[in-house]
Amino acid sequence: MGDTTGKVSLGGKDHEYKVLSGTVGPDVVDIRKFYGDTGAFTYDPGFTSTASCASTITYIDGDEGVLLHRGYPIDQLAEQSSFMEVAYLLLNGELPSKGELDEFVHTITRHTMVHEQLATFYRGFRRDAHPMAIMCGVVGALSAFYHDSTDIDDPQQRTIASHRLIAKMPTIAAMAFKYALGQPFVFPKNELSYTGNFLRMTFSVPAEEYEVDPLIEAAMDKIFILHADHEQNASTSTVRLAGSSGANPFACIAAGIACLWGPAHGGANEAALNMLREIGTPDKIPEYIARAKNKDDPFRLMGFGHRVYKNYDPRAKVMQKTANEVLDKLGVTDPVFDVARELEQIALNDPYFVDKKLYPNVDFYSGIILSAIGFPTTMFTVLFALARTVGWVAQWNEMITDPDQKIGRPRQLYRGATKRDYVPVAKR
Ligand code: CMC
């Protein structure tokens, strides 16, 4: 790659920096020596102009609405691939042969059960705990149950931990759901697919036979694919930052889950459906559009806007189509879908949203499908976490083996008090 150089003038002096070119996408100025050269830091809250790492996993062109995993467009993967195949691709860089895929699925399937003591761990939570609170705790606790795969310097342990995380996440998520309902945990059944198994662990009860509906299984698998990775988003960056100190992978993924929970990130799917239900009927839409545009009102249209996509979110297109298919097949006539469709049209034609390039994101439609399938809103972000675990694990592995990897340690612009002397409390 033909790297070039660029000059920065600061304090009357010119400094030269390498400009690195990726295979595609904007060039990146290598400012690692900037502080040493100039004595100044760069300022970039929210990392809007900063590449925190080099990666070969996922590429996004936000202006063109492009999302590629290892070069493959997301719509092709969602329509033609499976979540397990995408997981293999993200982890290994290439699509698997039939034999490699079978072996990968077999390995993941062999790790689906959780330590029996982990079931006891759930009982410490209140039954009305948010399942994301349970996920943060239980996934973090995995490091206490699987000591034999926490040595990050051992490639084999890293691989086992990666497989364990991907394999156990559906079991852990389904257990969080069952715990809230007061129903018994359902053991995995390894003859089923990754996604079919998850649906069965979530929705079956021991008193009845359960058959996985192939349409729901396919839709769910697609939703998992659409959420599998998204380059250096907030939760992935959190996983990388936590991992940069040498923390074990289970702890790092728990950190990612905590970050994902926020309504500006993975929590948006729950917030979006709650918002659509609150709007209730299409005639109320103008009121909410006005609120979203009002600078003095903190309300935002949930499921709209994205830090990177300034054209459209390619995942939202697939999600909208899947939502139509699922609702048609299930015969669900949810008025919330009419609200969503109309809200989308109004917002897409409103100068405020057009000028700011705010388009529906992946979370705008996902909640509608998940609700039709039977998930309560509190589970939506859990499903996002389940799928994103694949991306987190792939990115964590890439970071650990990156020769440029260092502990993440941003600098700051200090605007607090300068040095002053302590005054005893009696004299204040
Ligand atoms: N409704 C109304 N106004 C909005 C919205 C929205 N959803 N999103 C952004 N804006 C406005 C914002 O007020 C700002 O206006 P101004 O320039 O006049 O101050 C402008 O658009 C730029 O917004 P920003 O907050 O500076 O942009 P950001 O890149 O920091 O935020 C975002 C991106 C996704 C956090 C934001 O668009 C948002 O809060 N959206 C709603 C939450 C949501 O749907 N999140 C899911 C993201 S996709 C799933 C995922 O990857 O996690």
Side-chain angles (χ1 to χ4, degrees):
M1 277 159 262
D3 296 335
T4 55
T5 57
K7 276 193 187 130
V8 175
S9 293
L10 204 74
K13 266 192 177 174
D14 281 352
H15 304 276
E16 200 164 78
Y17 295 98
K18 251 197 209 162
V19 180
L20 312 175
S21 298
T23 44
V24 59
D27 287 343
V28 170
V29 184
D30 181 348
I31 55 159
R32 279 177 288 184
K33 294 202 175 79
F34 191 82
Y35 175 57
D37 290 349
T38 66
F41 296 143
T42 56
Y43 183 61
D44 186 18
F47 303 106
T48 51
S49 298
T50 298
S52 60
C53 62
S55 181
T56 61
I57 301 174
T58 292
Y59 173 72
I60 299 175
D61 181 337
D63 295 324
E64 296 298 323
V66 169
L67 167 59
L68 309 176
H69 292 319
R70 303 284 192 184
Y72 296 101
I74 188 65
D75 53 324
Q76 290 184 24
L77 293 173
E79 297 294 347
Q80 299 174 48
S81 183
S82 68
F83 182 62
M84 278 294 93
E85 191 175 50
V86 171
Y88 183 99
L89 174 69
L90 290 170
L91 289 171
N92 299 294
E94 295 297 336
L95 286 170
S97 66
K98 169 87 173 68
E100 286 166 337
L101 181 60
D102 289 348
E103 192 189 328
F104 179 68
V105 171
H106 178 73
T107 304
I108 295 297
T109 304
R110 274 185 31 241
H111 284 292
T112 48
M113 283 179 69
V114 292
H115 193 291
E116 201 39 33
Q117 195 65 22
L118 202 72
T120 318
F121 193 77
Y122 279 78
R123 305 198 196 288
F125 289 98
R126 286 169 55 134
R127 293 274 176 188
D128 62 355
H130 194 289
M132 280 299 278
I134 297 183
M135 294 300 287
C136 290
V138 173
V139 174
L142 289 179
S143 41
F145 288 90
Y146 301 101
H147 294 135
D148 59 342
S149 54
T150 51
D151 178 358
I152 63 155
D153 296 320
D154 178 343
Q156 206 192 347
Q157 291 200 29
R158 291 202 299 268
T159 302
I160 296 172
S162 303
H163 291 158
R164 280 180 166 154
L165 275 157
I166 294 167
K168 292 182 199 311
M169 205 56 86
T171 315
I172 291 169
M175 287 168 81
F177 177 73
K178 287 295 189 200
Y179 187 71
L181 289 179
Q183 290 182 358
F185 297 141
V186 177
F187 285 120
K189 194 168 184 183
N190 288 343
E191 73 198 42
L192 297 174
S193 71
Y194 182 89
T195 302
N197 187 32
F198 170 65
L199 289 169
R200 183 179 166 276
M201 287 190 291
T202 304
F203 293 120
S204 75
V205 288
E208 282 173 20
E209 288 304 316
Y210 177 84
E211 230 173 272
V212 179
D213 180 330
L215 173 93
I216 304 298
E217 186 180 6
M220 199 70 235
D221 205 67
K222 214 174 269 187
I223 293 174
F224 288 160
I225 293 173
L226 293 174
H227 286 92
D229 191 51
H230 213 224
E231 54 118 299
Q232 307 313 319
N233 57 86
S235 58
T236 302
S237 298
T238 300
V239 170
R240 280 184 178 258
L241 194 56
S244 75
S245 72
N248 74 70
F250 303 108
C252 296
I253 302 304
I257 292 174
C259 177
L260 187 77
W261 194 359
H265 192 6
N269 53 13
E270 178 177 352
L273 192 75
N274 288 339
M275 176 195 76
L276 292 172
R277 294 220 185 283
E278 190 184 305
I279 296 174
T281 47
D283 60 299
K284 294 267 177 53
I285 292 172
E287 187 189 314
Y288 283 82
I289 293 273
R291 282 189 63 195
K293 287 156 63 172
N294 181 355
K295 283 256 158 275
D296 300 326
D297 189 331
F299 174 78
R300 283 186 169 201
L301 272 197
M302 299 315 284
F304 259 81
H306 197 275
R307 167 62 61 80
V308 180
Y309 294 122
K310 301 299 175 197
N311 180 326
Y312 65 88
D313 180 341
R315 303 167 300 171
K317 277 197 171 172
V318 184
M319 199 63 92
Q320 184 191 25
K321 189 165 162 255
T322 311
N324 277 321
E325 285 164 9
V326 170
L327 295 194
D328 279 357
K329 186 79 191 265
L330 292 180
V332 176
T333 47
D334 191 337
V336 120
F337 202 54
D338 299 330
V339 175
R341 259 193 280 243
E342 186 132 353
L343 179 62
E344 182 184 10
Q345 282 319 308
I346 293 177
L348 287 177
N349 290 302
D350 187 301
Y352 173 92
F353 292 91
V354 175
D355 293 350
K356 292 186 192 303
K357 300 186 172 168
L358 299 169
Y359 293 87
N361 59 49
V362 68
D363 288 329
F364 190 66
Y365 283 105
S366 64
I368 295 169
I369 314 177
L370 296 175
S371 167
I373 293 175
F375 290 101
T377 48
T378 52
M379 277 297 286
F380 293 178
T381 314
V382 174
L383 303 172
F384 194 156
L386 188 168
R388 185 54 59 84
T389 295
V390 165
W392 290 331
V393 164
Q395 301 265 355
W396 175 82
N397 276 293
E398 183 178 58
M399 181 204 61
I400 296 290
T401 51
D402 182 348
D404 280 346
Q405 192 270 324
K406 277 171 178 279
I407 184 167
R409 199 341 183 155
R411 307 307 295 251
Q412 64 169 8
L413 170 64
Y414 178 67
R415 282 187 164 147
T418 51
K419 183 175 177 288
R420 49 184 169 166
D421 290 325
Y422 176 80
V423 180
V425 69
K427 293 200 175 161
R428 269 176 247 156

